[in-house]
PDB file of all heavy atoms in Angstrom:
ATOM      1  N   ALA A 350      13.592 -10.868  25.004  1.00  0.00           N
ATOM      2  CA  ALA A 350      14.798 -11.010  24.174  1.00  0.00           C
ATOM      3  C   ALA A 350      15.786 -11.949  24.849  1.00  0.00           C
ATOM      4  O   ALA A 350      16.426 -12.781  24.185  1.00  0.00           O
ATOM      5  CB  ALA A 350      15.431  -9.650  23.935  1.00  0.00           C
ATOM      6  N   SER A 356      15.323 -15.397  18.512  1.00  0.00           N
ATOM      7  CA  SER A 356      14.187 -14.760  17.846  1.00  0.00           C
ATOM      8  C   SER A 356      14.485 -13.299  17.545  1.00  0.00           C
ATOM      9  O   SER A 356      14.971 -12.551  18.408  1.00  0.00           O
ATOM     10  CB  SER A 356      12.928 -14.849  18.720  1.00  0.00           C
ATOM     11  OG  SER A 356      11.859 -14.115  18.129  1.00  0.00           O
ATOM     12  N   ALA A 357      14.144 -12.871  16.340  1.00  0.00           N
ATOM     13  CA  ALA A 357      14.335 -11.469  15.955  1.00  0.00           C
ATOM     14  C   ALA A 357      13.170 -10.597  16.409  1.00  0.00           C
ATOM     15  O   ALA A 357      13.271  -9.362  16.368  1.00  0.00           O
ATOM     16  CB  ALA A 357      14.487 -11.360  14.437  1.00  0.00           C
ATOM     17  N   ARG A 358      12.091 -11.205  16.853  1.00  0.00           N
ATOM     18  CA  ARG A 358      10.883 -10.421  17.121  1.00  0.00           C
ATOM     19  C   ARG A 358      11.024  -9.417  18.270  1.00  0.00           C
ATOM     20  O   ARG A 358      10.540  -8.281  18.156  1.00  0.00           O
ATOM     21  CB  ARG A 358       9.702 -11.365  17.356  1.00  0.00           C
ATOM     22  CG  ARG A 358       9.359 -12.182  16.106  1.00  0.00           C
ATOM     23  CD  ARG A 358       8.356 -13.260  16.405  1.00  0.00           C
ATOM     24  NE  ARG A 358       7.018 -12.737  16.522  1.00  0.00           N
ATOM     25  CZ  ARG A 358       6.079 -13.278  17.289  1.00  0.00           C
ATOM     26  NH1 ARG A 358       6.364 -14.341  18.042  1.00  0.00           N
ATOM     27  NH2 ARG A 358       4.864 -12.786  17.333  1.00  0.00           N
ATOM     28  N   PRO A 359      11.665  -9.764  19.397  1.00  0.00           N
ATOM     29  CA  PRO A 359      11.821  -8.734  20.429  1.00  0.00           C
ATOM     30  C   PRO A 359      12.630  -7.533  19.937  1.00  0.00           C
ATOM     31  O   PRO A 359      12.287  -6.382  20.232  1.00  0.00           O
ATOM     32  CB  PRO A 359      12.541  -9.481  21.559  1.00  0.00           C
ATOM     33  CG  PRO A 359      12.197 -10.914  21.358  1.00  0.00           C
ATOM     34  CD  PRO A 359      12.129 -11.085  19.876  1.00  0.00           C
ATOM     35  N   ALA A 360      13.701  -7.787  19.203  1.00  0.00           N
ATOM     36  CA  ALA A 360      14.515  -6.686  18.682  1.00  0.00           C
ATOM     37  C   ALA A 360      13.709  -5.831  17.713  1.00  0.00           C
ATOM     38  O   ALA A 360      13.793  -4.593  17.729  1.00  0.00           O
ATOM     39  CB  ALA A 360      15.759  -7.233  17.990  1.00  0.00           C
ATOM     40  N   GLU A 361      12.921  -6.475  16.871  1.00  0.00           N
ATOM     41  CA  GLU A 361      12.087  -5.730  15.928  1.00  0.00           C
ATOM     42  C   GLU A 361      11.058  -4.894  16.672  1.00  0.00           C
ATOM     43  O   GLU A 361      10.827  -3.718  16.343  1.00  0.00           O
ATOM     44  CB  GLU A 361      11.387  -6.696  14.973  1.00  0.00           C
ATOM     45  CG  GLU A 361      10.529  -6.006  13.937  1.00  0.00           C
ATOM     46  CD  GLU A 361       9.835  -6.976  13.002  1.00  0.00           C
ATOM     47  OE1 GLU A 361      10.360  -8.082  12.797  1.00  0.00           O
ATOM     48  OE2 GLU A 361       8.760  -6.616  12.493  1.00  0.00           O
ATOM     49  N   ALA A 362      10.426  -5.473  17.689  1.00  0.00           N
ATOM     50  CA  ALA A 362       9.426  -4.739  18.463  1.00  0.00           C
ATOM     51  C   ALA A 362      10.066  -3.544  19.171  1.00  0.00           C
ATOM     52  O   ALA A 362       9.494  -2.449  19.210  1.00  0.00           O
ATOM     53  CB  ALA A 362       8.769  -5.666  19.473  1.00  0.00           C
ATOM     54  N   LEU A 363      11.255  -3.726  19.723  1.00  0.00           N
ATOM     55  CA  LEU A 363      11.955  -2.618  20.377  1.00  0.00           C
ATOM     56  C   LEU A 363      12.337  -1.537  19.364  1.00  0.00           C
ATOM     57  O   LEU A 363      12.300  -0.338  19.673  1.00  0.00           O
ATOM     58  CB  LEU A 363      13.203  -3.140  21.093  1.00  0.00           C
ATOM     59  CG  LEU A 363      12.939  -3.922  22.390  1.00  0.00           C
ATOM     60  CD1 LEU A 363      14.184  -4.686  22.821  1.00  0.00           C
ATOM     61  CD2 LEU A 363      12.459  -2.989  23.500  1.00  0.00           C
ATOM     62  N   ALA A 364      12.692  -1.946  18.157  1.00  0.00           N
ATOM     63  CA  ALA A 364      13.004  -0.975  17.107  1.00  0.00           C
ATOM     64  C   ALA A 364      11.779  -0.143  16.758  1.00  0.00           C
ATOM     65  O   ALA A 364      11.856   1.078  16.603  1.00  0.00           O
ATOM     66  CB  ALA A 364      13.525  -1.697  15.868  1.00  0.00           C
ATOM     67  N   VAL A 365      10.642  -0.808  16.654  1.00  0.00           N
ATOM     68  CA  VAL A 365       9.397  -0.119  16.322  1.00  0.00           C
ATOM     69  C   VAL A 365       9.015   0.863  17.429  1.00  0.00           C
ATOM     70  O   VAL A 365       8.591   1.999  17.164  1.00  0.00           O
ATOM     71  CB  VAL A 365       8.290  -1.160  16.083  1.00  0.00           C
ATOM     72  CG1 VAL A 365       6.930  -0.507  16.076  1.00  0.00           C
ATOM     73  CG2 VAL A 365       8.531  -1.899  14.766  1.00  0.00           C
ATOM     74  N   ARG A 379      18.536  -1.402  17.113  1.00  0.00           N
ATOM     75  CA  ARG A 379      17.589  -2.526  17.258  1.00  0.00           C
ATOM     76  C   ARG A 379      17.330  -3.205  15.913  1.00  0.00           C
ATOM     77  O   ARG A 379      17.220  -4.429  15.833  1.00  0.00           O
ATOM     78  CB  ARG A 379      16.270  -2.026  17.859  1.00  0.00           C
ATOM     79  CG  ARG A 379      16.422  -1.393  19.220  1.00  0.00           C
ATOM     80  CD  ARG A 379      16.987  -2.365  20.219  1.00  0.00           C
ATOM     81  NE  ARG A 379      17.378  -1.685  21.454  1.00  0.00           N
ATOM     82  CZ  ARG A 379      18.112  -2.237  22.399  1.00  0.00           C
ATOM     83  NH1 ARG A 379      18.575  -3.470  22.239  1.00  0.00           N
ATOM     84  NH2 ARG A 379      18.414  -1.570  23.488  1.00  0.00           N
ATOM     85  N   TRP A 380      17.213  -2.400  14.849  1.00  0.00           N
ATOM     86  CA  TRP A 380      17.020  -3.001  13.528  1.00  0.00           C
ATOM     87  C   TRP A 380      18.251  -3.811  13.122  1.00  0.00           C
ATOM     88  O   TRP A 380      18.128  -4.869  12.493  1.00  0.00           O
ATOM     89  CB  TRP A 380      16.737  -1.924  12.475  1.00  0.00           C
ATOM     90  CG  TRP A 380      15.355  -1.367  12.503  1.00  0.00           C
ATOM     91  CD1 TRP A 380      14.973  -0.077  12.718  1.00  0.00           C
ATOM     92  CD2 TRP A 380      14.135  -2.103  12.290  1.00  0.00           C
ATOM     93  NE1 TRP A 380      13.608   0.048  12.661  1.00  0.00           N
ATOM     94  CE2 TRP A 380      13.071  -1.179  12.395  1.00  0.00           C
ATOM     95  CE3 TRP A 380      13.845  -3.433  12.040  1.00  0.00           C
ATOM     96  CZ2 TRP A 380      11.735  -1.551  12.247  1.00  0.00           C
ATOM     97  CZ3 TRP A 380      12.513  -3.820  11.891  1.00  0.00           C
ATOM     98  CH2 TRP A 380      11.470  -2.891  11.993  1.00  0.00           C
ATOM     99  N   ARG A 382      20.201  -5.419  15.144  1.00  0.00           N
ATOM    100  CA  ARG A 382      20.132  -6.683  15.885  1.00  0.00           C
ATOM    101  C   ARG A 382      19.097  -7.615  15.253  1.00  0.00           C
ATOM    102  O   ARG A 382      19.357  -8.825  15.097  1.00  0.00           O
ATOM    103  CB  ARG A 382      19.769  -6.405  17.352  1.00  0.00           C
ATOM    104  CG  ARG A 382      19.653  -7.665  18.213  1.00  0.00           C
ATOM    105  CD  ARG A 382      20.934  -8.461  18.183  1.00  0.00           C
ATOM    106  NE  ARG A 382      20.840  -9.666  19.010  1.00  0.00           N
ATOM    107  CZ  ARG A 382      21.604 -10.730  18.839  1.00  0.00           C
ATOM    108  NH1 ARG A 382      22.527 -10.758  17.874  1.00  0.00           N
ATOM    109  NH2 ARG A 382      21.464 -11.776  19.628  1.00  0.00           N
ATOM    110  N   ALA A 383      17.956  -7.084  14.866  1.00  0.00           N
ATOM    111  CA  ALA A 383      16.939  -7.904  14.207  1.00  0.00           C
ATOM    112  C   ALA A 383      17.475  -8.479  12.903  1.00  0.00           C
ATOM    113  O   ALA A 383      17.199  -9.632  12.548  1.00  0.00           O
ATOM    114  CB  ALA A 383      15.689  -7.066  13.946  1.00  0.00           C
ATOM    115  N   LEU A 386      19.673 -11.413  13.448  1.00  0.00           N
ATOM    116  CA  LEU A 386      18.902 -12.605  13.817  1.00  0.00           C
ATOM    117  C   LEU A 386      18.017 -13.094  12.675  1.00  0.00           C
ATOM    118  O   LEU A 386      17.209 -14.006  12.862  1.00  0.00           O
ATOM    119  CB  LEU A 386      18.051 -12.303  15.055  1.00  0.00           C
ATOM    120  CG  LEU A 386      18.858 -12.070  16.345  1.00  0.00           C
ATOM    121  CD1 LEU A 386      17.966 -11.531  17.453  1.00  0.00           C
ATOM    122  CD2 LEU A 386      19.538 -13.362  16.795  1.00  0.00           C
TER     123      LEU A 386
END
Side-chain angles (χ1 to χ4, degrees):
S356 174
R358 296 171 77 210
E361 182 180 333
L363 286 166
V365 166
R379 300 300 169 193
W380 284 119
R382 179 57 180 157
L386 292 170

